[in-house]
Amino acid sequence: MRRLLAALWLSSLLTGALAACGDAEEARSAMTVRVLVRDINIRQEGVECAGTGPYTHFHNRAPFQVIDSGGRTLAEGALPPGTSVATFEEDLEVARVPTYCEFAVPVDVAARDAYRLVVDGQPPIALTANDSEGPALVAVVPS
């Protein structure tokens, strides 16, 4: 009887271990989500910023999720402060220039065919893979 119980226990233990292997965490890759909010605000380049006008939901500590095409959350957190970047490459020779607000946040995500960004419960924004400055998922708002 003991042998039968031991065999049944060992069998269920092995089945559980094999099932756990099937549910293993997917491999993830480190990348940066970069979002350029084209709000065309007049400010100094390189200072902290947040989205303005219809983009006020882009701000420091705004909750975000990176989701796949099926809506599954792959990463989540809070946005860092944005950084103002010049709208034009030419030197306007003034301290305050038209800028966009850029947000960059590191994430670890599983490989997917498509990614989307949800910020503060707003509609999802499509993200595009871009390796020009290291592995990144990027979006320009509005697109």
Side-chain angles (χ1 to χ4, degrees):
M1 181 67 144
R2 283 186 186 171
R3 286 185 183 173
L4 178 61
L5 288 175
L8 289 173
W9 180 80
L10 183 57
S11 173
S12 65
L13 180 64
L14 287 174
T15 301
L18 291 175
C21 289
D23 291 339
E25 181 77 23
E26 288 183 87
R28 296 178 169 268
S29 298
M31 52 184 57
T32 301
V33 172
R34 291 181 34 232
V35 180
L36 184 66
V37 179
R38 298 191 302 180
D39 58 358
I40 309 180
N41 201 338
I42 306 297
R43 55 189 159 219
Q44 289 183 320
E45 188 176 2
V47 298
E48 276 190 20
C49 61
T52 60
Y55 313 109
T56 56
H57 57 283
F58 283 93
H59 60 82
N60 185 22
R61 296 187 298 274
F64 77 88
Q65 294 86 36
V66 175
I67 62 174
D68 62 17
S69 58
R72 182 173 171 223
T73 300
L74 303 174
E76 59 187 344
L79 291 178
T83 302
S84 60
V85 294
T87 304
F88 308 109
E89 288 186 27
E90 64 189 88
D91 184 4
L92 300 178
E93 299 181 12
V94 293
R96 295 170 37 135
V97 296
T99 62
Y100 297 142
C101 191
E102 183 176 48
F103 293 86
V105 60
V107 295
D108 290 324
V109 294
R112 294 291 189 269
D113 291 335
Y115 300 91
R116 297 182 298 164
L117 177 68
V118 176
V119 176
D120 204 14
Q122 297 295 312
I125 301 162
L127 293 167
T128 304
N130 182 316
D131 290 337
S132 65
E133 296 180 26
L137 297 170
V138 300
V140 177
V141 179
S143 56

